[in-house]
Amino acid sequence: MILKRHDVALGFGLLPLTHHSFFQPCHCNQKGKETSSDAFKSNKPLMVIHHLEDCQYSQALKKVFAQDKEIQEMAQNNFIMLNLMHETTDKNLSPDGQYVPRIMFVDPSLTVRADLTGRYSNRLYTYEPQDLPVLIANMKKALKLIQSEL
């Protein structure tokens, strides 16, 4: 799945990356707010987390995500994190439906990595609390792919 540069600029290029307990953004522009268009300049993979505050599944994943030191370290040091708490109309960010939580990896070439998915065939990008080993493995794969493809 390719994210076209035009789609990224219109779809989420101007959205601020928000601070949230899922993660802490790594880079800021002059006004102290990071935008996803700034993120692509860093040559780090983008990790897009779609979730809702009032969703029990999102909250359960958020809790284990925040407690895992390995995930927190990778998220803070190796990824640009985009926190989406509202559904997007960009079909590239919901290739198999609009459900939460879902986590997608986007590389600096603006490609949604269809090869980095969770374990469910009917919701490719969802992760449940017990799926942290799969998420960690996918985060490590995303980092290796970036190094080998740049």
Side-chain angles (χ1 to χ4, degrees), residues 60-121:
L61 183 61
K62 178 173 123 177
K63 181 178 179 181
V64 297
F65 190 103
Q67 292 173 346
D68 190 282
K69 290 180 183 185
E70 184 176 15
I71 284 180
Q72 288 299 307
E73 184 176 318
M74 281 193 293
Q76 291 176 12
N77 298 324
N78 304 110
F79 288 86
I80 302 299
M81 310 299 291
L82 179 59
N83 182 23
L84 294 178
M85 292 179 18
H86 301 284
E87 194 54 66
T88 177
T89 58
D90 187 336
K91 296 294 181 192
N92 292 307
L93 293 175
S94 56
D96 66 335
Q98 295 182 334
Y99 53 86
V100 292
R102 69 181 184 275
I103 300 174
M104 304 173 80
F105 296 93
V106 180
D107 65 29
S109 71
L110 307 181
T111 302
V112 173
R113 298 307 304 223
D115 53 344
L116 298 174
T117 60
R119 63 185 183 102
Y120 304 99
S121 61

Side-chain angles (χ1 to χ4, degrees), residues 44-55:
K44 291 182 179 182
L46 176 66
M47 189 169 166
V48 181
I49 301 176
H50 298 264
H51 66 100
L52 297 173
E53 281 296 320
D54 61 350
C55 170

Side-chain angles (χ1 to χ4, degrees), residues 68 70-71 74 127 131-141:
D68 190 282
E70 184 176 15
I71 284 180
M74 281 193 293
Y127 295 87
D131 299 331
L132 283 191
V134 176
L135 180 58
I136 290 169
N138 281 341
M139 291 172 80
K140 289 178 179 179
K141 285 179 196 174

